[in-house]
């Protein structure tokens, strides 16, 4: 049985696209993207879901997200550029079944207030020579759950937040996220078969 995956988004959805492409190519083969949920009605990610033929919805409250995930019988929740912080109650509903991608090497440049371009602005301000991306389990403290995968990316002398963001996405995020999702989807599929 394929693990049923939901991807939660708020913006452009390039990480969602990397997952859809991985499913298409067979790199993601232990799970299927069954649902896309957005906190933002204008997110371009919704258009990507529509093009791929994946059911998508906009949710306002956590209660809306919970209902959608439950009614689609979702087993793995992937936060991919999702900018809402989930409550401890919500996280406890799917223990070890929610993962997030963050555009830095955690524990650097993470936690409340560090999202999107702000992460890369902070890395450039601090003058680090290496940054990267992290996929981690989500617990009740933002960006503090168990680290699953990380990949380092060089910072170049003339980088702007935008060029650095793009390099981190290309060299790290779009590779790490499908890899992590396949690993967990496979574990879930095997566990549920035993049960
Ligand atoms: C990505 O860089 C993702 O890692 C980051 O937002 C961007 C979303 O891009 N997420 C965070 O900063 C979460 N703290 P996308 O919508 O094109 O995938």
């Amino acid at each position: 049985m394929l693990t049923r995956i939901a991807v939660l988004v708020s913006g452009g959805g390039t990480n969602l696209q990397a997952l859809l492409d991985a499913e298409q190519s067979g790199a993601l083969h232990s799970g299927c993207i069954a649902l896309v949920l957005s906190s933002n009605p204008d997110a371009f990610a919704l258009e990507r879901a529509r093009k791929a033929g994946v059911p998508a919805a906009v949710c306002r409250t956590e209660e809306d997200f919970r209902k959608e995930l439950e009614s689609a019988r979702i087993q793995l929740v992937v936060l991919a550029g999702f900018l809402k912080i989930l409550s401890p109650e919500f996280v406890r509903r799917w223990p070890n079944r929610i993962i997030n991608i963050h555009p830095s090497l955690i524990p650097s440049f993470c936690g409340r207030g560090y999202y999107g371009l702000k992460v890369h602005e902070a890395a450039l301000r601090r003058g680090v020579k290496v940054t990267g991306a992290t996929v981690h389990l989500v617990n009740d403290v933002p960006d503090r759950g168990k680290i699953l995968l990380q990949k380092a990316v060089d910072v170049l002398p003339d980088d702007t937040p935008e060029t650095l963001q793009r390099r981190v996405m290309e060299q790290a995020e779009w590779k790490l996220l499908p890899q992590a999702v396949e690993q967990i989807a496979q574990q879930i599929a095997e566990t549920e078969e035993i049960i």
Side-chain angles (χ1 to χ4, degrees):
M1 279 275 283
L2 292 178
T3 297
R4 293 179 62 76
I5 301 165
V7 185
L8 273 50
V9 295
S10 302
T14 64
N15 279 289
L16 166 66
Q17 191 64 54
L19 291 171
L20 293 167
D21 293 347
E23 190 177 359
Q24 185 73 33
S25 74
L28 170 57
H29 54 85
S30 301
C32 63
I33 301 167
L35 183 64
V36 170
L37 297 178
S38 177
S39 59
N40 169 12
D42 301 322
F44 186 68
L46 289 166
E47 178 63 20
R48 297 180 190 273
R50 195 193 59 73
K51 271 208 182 112
V54 176
V58 178
C59 295
R60 281 182 199 289
T61 64
E62 263 192 12
E63 186 61 8
D64 295 341
F65 280 100
R66 188 184 60 73
K67 280 186 192 152
E68 291 281 355
L69 294 171
E70 285 179 352
S71 73
R73 292 170 292 110
I74 295 301
Q75 297 164 288
L76 172 62
V77 179
V78 180
L79 311 184
F82 184 65
L83 299 183
K84 252 176 139 58
I85 292 180
L86 297 168
S87 72
E89 295 70 38
F90 186 96
V91 172
R92 277 199 290 270
R93 170 66 186 77
W94 285 276
N96 298 325
R97 292 286 189 267
I98 308 179
I99 66 171
N100 178 47
I101 179 127
H102 184 77
S104 74
L105 294 174
I106 288 175
S108 292
F109 314 118
C110 64
R112 269 178 203 275
Y114 286 99
Y115 57 88
L117 269 186
K118 288 180 190 290
V119 178
H120 304 292
E121 284 163 5
L124 290 177
R125 240 188 344 261
R126 187 64 185 84
V128 294
K129 302 302 174 206
V130 175
T131 183
T134 303
V135 178
H136 63 93
L137 290 177
V138 173
N139 67 10
D140 50 4
V141 185
D143 297 332
R144 282 292 289 276
K146 183 182 171 192
I147 292 173
L148 301 175
L149 293 176
Q150 286 189 308
K151 191 165 190 293
V153 174
D154 285 339
V155 178
L156 301 182
D158 292 335
D159 266 332
T160 62
E162 290 78 10
T163 61
L164 184 56
Q165 178 182 54
R166 181 75 193 180
R167 189 173 322 106
V168 169
M169 284 176 159
E170 282 176 359
Q171 294 185 6
E173 296 188 50
W174 301 340
K175 294 178 181 167
L176 281 190
L177 190 60
Q179 202 182 324
V181 169
E182 170 57 24
Q183 275 176 18
I184 301 181
Q186 199 173 357
Q187 283 165 16
I188 296 174
E190 283 167 5
T191 320
E192 309 233 321
E193 258 165 28
I194 293 164
I195 293 166

